[in-house]
Amino acid sequence: MRAFMFGLVASSALVFGAIAGVRLRLPKRWLAVLLAFASGALITALAFELFEDAYEQGGMWRAALGLVVGATVFTVLSAGLDRVARGDRGESHGSEKLDPDAAAGDRAASTASTTGAAGLALLAAVTLDGVPENVALGVSLGEGTGGLALLAAIFVSNFPEALVGSASMRAQGRSRRFVLGTWGGCAAILVLAVVVGAGPLSSAAPETISLPLAFAAGAVLASLADTLMPEAYEKGGPLVALSTTAGFVLSFILATL
């Protein structure tokens, strides 16, 4: 039940973000601030809740191998999703699947949203990245190690991604029911991932546990370098440095509780 509640809290941000995406339009700079804040929180979580635990459970070689595999898998699949999201645009432009313009009140959505499949591609990326993250959250709960920093990082990263993704879907002409239904379905999958991590995986051997933890760390690190941080800086400018710092500090405080 505790794992279910943690999963529900972490994944509820997807639903809240989707609702905000179909109803609200925010200044682009504030969207960038949200993405930067999430980046800072994820840096702490991957270092102290994911990779460090993977190292302690299985040693450096297992942790390093899992990290590289997780980063490679996410990078390859993310590049494929960007190609799917590109639509009629001739040349690639940053992370095609993450289109903050679609949720901004002062800009028009890009062609990746209006003629491509940016919203669906971002949904797929969030699921790809979120499953190992939430499994790792469940493992930390099963071991009784807390997981508050990882919970906060997942929540604050899910919200802006769902907001932008749902806005992209609306720009493509998807119905509100479709948008909320797909993001709600993603949230349900991620809740189940937490329960699985806290159940069967938490009783596995430490060497076995280290691999999904390191894989999740690699996927998170790749998503930061590939998607969140580049888009945040491009849209928000120097202000994102302070927002990233704030997210890091908050997540670090939670990691030390």
Side-chain angles (χ1 to χ4, degrees):
M1 181 58 67
R2 183 165 179 257
F4 176 78
M5 293 304 298
F6 265 63
L8 198 62
V9 170
S11 301
S12 66
L14 292 174
V15 178
F16 295 147
I19 293 173
V22 298
R23 291 178 176 272
L24 302 177
R25 292 295 179 268
L26 301 176
K28 181 186 285 188
R29 178 161 294 187
W30 286 108
L31 291 170
V33 166
L34 289 175
L35 292 172
F37 185 87
S39 298
L42 285 169
I43 290 171
T44 301
L46 78 89
F48 296 103
E49 298 260 351
L50 295 177
F51 190 74
E52 184 180 47
D53 284 354
Y55 166 71
E56 292 175 350
Q57 297 278 4
M60 179 54 71
W61 287 109
R62 284 179 180 272
L65 178 63
L67 183 82
V68 171
V69 172
T72 301
V73 169
F74 182 88
T75 300
V76 171
L77 294 180
S78 178
L81 291 171
D82 280 334
R83 287 193 294 271
V84 171
R86 189 173 301 167
D88 295 337
R89 181 181 294 178
E91 297 181 359
S92 62
H93 179 74
S95 178
E96 300 284 0
K97 60 185 173 294
L98 184 64
D99 178 24
D101 289 345
D106 50 353
R107 295 292 181 92
S110 74
T111 55
S113 292
T114 56
T115 65
L120 289 173
L122 183 57
L123 175 69
V126 169
T127 306
L128 168 68
D129 186 33
V131 168
E133 281 179 1
N134 283 268
V135 167
L137 176 61
V139 169
S140 68
L141 293 173
E143 295 180 330
T145 56
L148 285 177
L150 184 55
L151 172 65
I154 292 173
F155 185 93
V156 298
S157 63
N158 280 345
F159 181 82
E161 289 182 319
L163 190 157
V164 171
S166 61
S168 292
M169 290 180 179
R170 288 289 288 167
Q172 194 184 21
R174 301 285 185 176
S175 69
R176 183 171 297 183
R177 178 177 297 180
F178 176 87
V179 173
L180 297 181
T182 52
W183 285 98
C186 177
I189 292 172
L190 298 187
V191 171
L192 180 61
V194 179
V195 175
V196 170
L201 278 182
S202 64
S203 59
E207 293 79 8
T208 302
I209 292 175
S210 70
L211 293 176
L213 290 175
F215 184 95
V220 170
L221 186 58
S223 70
L224 285 170
D226 172 76
T227 305
L228 292 179
M229 298 186 78
E231 288 296 319
Y233 184 80
E234 180 183 356
K235 311 302 182 184
L239 182 63
V240 301
L242 298 177
S243 182
T244 304
T245 302
F248 179 90
V249 170
L250 173 63
S251 188
F252 184 83
I253 292 172
L254 293 175
T256 59
L257 293 178

